[in-house]
Amino acid sequence: MANTTSGTATFDKTFAIDEIVEDSFERIGLTNVAGYQLKSARRSLNILFQEWGNRGIHYWEIATANIDLIEGQAEYKFFRSSDDGTSATTTPSGIYGMSDVLEAQLRTNRTQTTQADSPMTKVDRSTYAGFSNKLSKGTPNQYFVQRFIDHVSIQVYPTPDSTNASKDMHIFYIKRIQDAGDYTNATDVPFRFVPCMTAGLAFYLAQKYAPQLAQQMKLYYEDELAR
């Protein structure tokens, strides 16, 4: 008789926040958790996602966009959320939660069947500060990124002149991992990261509810993350 399998591969799609929390608590010997413990665990999960942002680039959070350049405008802001401000006009529109910009090109003929990209160079603060006239107009070929609490600012140099204002700045950017949100939500995490996410939350919870297991949970977490 042939083995019977589920025929599905969507475990991570239905692995909701409450189940992640339950599994993580079980790893440190706690069951039937409720109330403040659930709230505490969800908070720790959000902190874990922020910690991942410091670990390096997460490739599932890389996206592209076209910034509509404006003649004489040097700065284009992208806010953490719509509550913080209105992000720069882009295609697609409504980009929020940007973390950083990896690469950029000056793009022409976006709506046509052919296009032409010219690479733009990302410069550091000292290089950008050295430009004597940051509002000089021409063909943008360099950009500087500043990251603030509530937004990311992209400064282009030179600023677009009338000819280049009809062009776009095509960017590859990093998005922030989405918040956990409601307990019935799935996470903004691919299936490969589910084991280390659960192990990481168990480590965070051990620090608060089972300190004697914290070091052991940390080793499990770092091992899962290294995979």
Side-chain angles (χ1 to χ4, degrees):
M1 180 176 178
N3 291 335
T4 301
T5 63
S6 66
T8 63
T10 59
F11 170 76
D12 54 307
K13 183 178 180 180
T14 57
F15 193 35
I17 301 298
D18 58 351
E19 290 190 288
I20 296 169
V21 168
E22 183 179 2
D23 192 89
S24 298
F25 267 120
E26 288 174 350
R27 293 182 183 213
I28 60 173
L30 296 179
T31 59
N32 299 319
V33 295
Y36 180 78
Q37 290 172 312
L38 294 176
K39 181 179 179 180
S40 175
R42 184 174 62 177
R43 181 174 64 241
S44 292
L45 185 59
N46 279 322
I47 294 173
L48 177 67
F49 290 156
Q50 312 306 307
E51 192 256 334
W52 281 4
N54 293 328
R55 292 271 186 167
I57 297 174
H58 297 293
Y59 292 99
W60 74 87
E61 294 294 353
I62 295 178
T64 63
N66 294 300
I67 302 174
D68 296 330
L69 296 177
I70 299 173
E71 181 179 359
Q73 181 172 321
E75 184 178 25
Y76 300 83
K77 293 182 179 180
F78 294 87
F79 288 91
R80 175 179 52 188
S81 73
S82 57
D83 293 334
D84 297 316
T86 302
S87 292
T89 303
T90 63
T91 303
S93 60
I95 293 176
Y96 293 93
M98 180 186 294
S99 174
D100 199 359
V101 178
L102 298 175
E103 298 179 61
Q105 303 85 34
L106 184 66
R107 171 166 291 182
T108 60
N109 301 326
R110 186 186 74 204
T111 60
Q112 300 180 19
T113 55
T114 59
Q115 65 186 35
D117 285 352
S118 301
M120 299 178 67
T121 303
K122 186 176 184 179
V123 299
D124 58 21
R125 181 183 296 105
S126 297
T127 301
Y128 185 76
F131 297 148
S132 59
N133 183 5
K134 297 175 179 60
L135 297 179
S136 62
K137 296 182 180 180
T139 300
N141 55 36
Q142 298 179 88
Y143 67 99
F144 164 55
V145 178
Q146 294 188 85
R147 297 189 288 175
F148 300 93
I149 291 176
D150 63 344
H151 72 279
V152 170
S153 171
I154 302 175
Q155 308 274 350
V156 300
Y157 181 84
T159 64
D161 56 19
S162 58
T163 301
N164 289 282
S166 61
K167 301 176 182 178
D168 293 325
M169 181 178 176
H170 178 72
I171 62 172
F172 288 88
Y173 68 96
I174 305 173
K175 299 180 294 180
R176 291 175 55 169
I177 299 174
Q178 295 178 25
D179 302 335
D182 295 337
Y183 293 108
T184 54
N185 287 345
T187 57
D188 183 30
V189 174
F191 74 94
R192 301 182 308 279
F193 273 73
V194 167
C196 73
M197 173 181 62
T198 309
L201 181 56
F203 164 52
Y204 274 43
L205 294 177
Q207 295 177 67
K208 295 185 285 186
Y209 296 101
Q212 71 279 9
L213 297 176
Q215 187 60 35
Q216 180 182 350
M217 292 298 106
K218 181 180 180 181
L219 292 176
Y220 287 145
Y221 168 49
E222 294 294 344
D223 183 61
E224 293 283 9
L225 191 63
R227 295 180 195 276

